[in-house]
Amino acid sequence: MDRYVITSTRVGEIGTAFVAGPSDDIDWLLEGGFIQRSDTHPSKGAKLTNKPDAPTSKKD
Amino acid sequence: MATSTYLSNPIVSIGAVDISDQCTSANLSQKIMALPDNAFGSTATSFTAGLQDNTLTLELYWSTAATETYATFKALVGTKIASVTIKGTSAATSATNPLGTLANSYLEELPVVYSLGELSRCTIVLRGGTFAWTEV
């Protein structure tokens, strides 16, 4: 899922995450320079709620 | 005396974009067409509600700077705009500060006027769509 950052005060506080509503046109907002895609990825230390590789049992 | 005076605070947003600081006038016409429903025996004209026929006219300063008027509307000409909202003040939406939402209105043209010695302006007309007031 793409994440976006606000780049214009017309949309909100610059630098904060843009949370799209159901009627928001993301392409239009990107083209107009109001938001941009965030290239920030979760840090390696970020905890996952469900760890996909975690063993389900400690017994092998 | 129950009057409301708005000196400078109306809020106009195109989707998530607040264009208020370029807007000098917002003229909303919430209209539902009147369909004659007279029949033989009628003694006066009578109407029933037809389709909504709403219009929102915005007068804007014409700025081609980043994220200003041009950037906001250039890609919307000839399209239906999902949501345009208008509110009397920036205060919370309430019964005395209702939020009007015009959904799926059509922007037919983006007419710009360049005049010597004046701030350039454009007047856009959003036609059609569904309008509703929200008080909460």
Side-chain angles (χ1 to χ4, degrees):
Chain A
M1 182 178 175
D2 291 329
R3 295 178 181 182
Y4 305 95
V5 172
I6 294 171
T7 54
S8 168
T9 54
R10 294 194 180 284
V11 176
E13 185 179 348
I14 292 175
T16 59
F18 175 72
V19 180
S23 64
D24 285 323
D25 184 339
I26 295 298
D27 290 337
W28 170 65
L29 290 168
L30 287 168
E31 183 182 342
F34 302 106
I35 62 172
Q36 67 182 29
R37 281 194 171 82
S38 172
D39 53 3
T40 304
H41 298 286
S43 65
K44 291 180 179 178
K47 291 183 178 180
L48 296 175
T49 305
N50 297 313
K51 296 181 179 179
D53 297 328
T56 54
S57 171
K58 291 183 179 179
K59 294 180 179 178
D60 291 326
Chain B
M1 184 173 173
T3 60
S4 296
T5 301
Y6 301 118
L7 297 177
S8 63
N9 289 330
I11 303 296
V12 179
S13 295
I14 311 298
V17 175
D18 184 344
I19 198 73
S20 304
D21 68 349
Q22 294 287 4
C23 188
T24 59
S25 172
N27 190 338
L28 169 69
S29 172
Q30 181 187 13
K31 180 179 177 182
I32 299 176
M33 296 177 73
L35 304 180
D37 61 356
N38 294 96
F40 292 148
S42 296
T43 57
T45 54
S46 176
F47 299 90
T48 191
L51 297 174
Q52 291 191 33
D53 186 20
N54 303 304
T55 303
L56 176 61
T57 303
L58 300 177
E59 292 185 9
L60 303 150
Y61 290 114
W62 178 249
S63 171
T64 55
T67 72
E68 300 292 344
T69 311
Y70 171 67
T72 302
F73 290 99
K74 65 180 180 182
L76 297 178
V77 181
T79 69
K80 289 181 181 177
I81 301 175
S83 173
V84 179
T85 58
I86 183 170
K87 191 161 67 166
T89 76
S90 59
T93 301
S94 66
T96 56
N97 189 35
L99 174 72
T101 302
L102 183 60
N104 294 317
S105 59
Y106 181 74
L107 178 59
E108 186 177 24
E109 61 177 334
L110 185 57
V112 183
V113 177
Y114 290 105
S115 300
L116 180 64
E118 294 180 1
L119 293 174
S120 298
R121 290 173 170 269
C122 71
T123 300
I124 66 166
V125 181
L126 302 168
R127 301 171 61 183
T130 305
F131 181 82
W133 289 108
T134 304
E135 296 183 350
V136 290

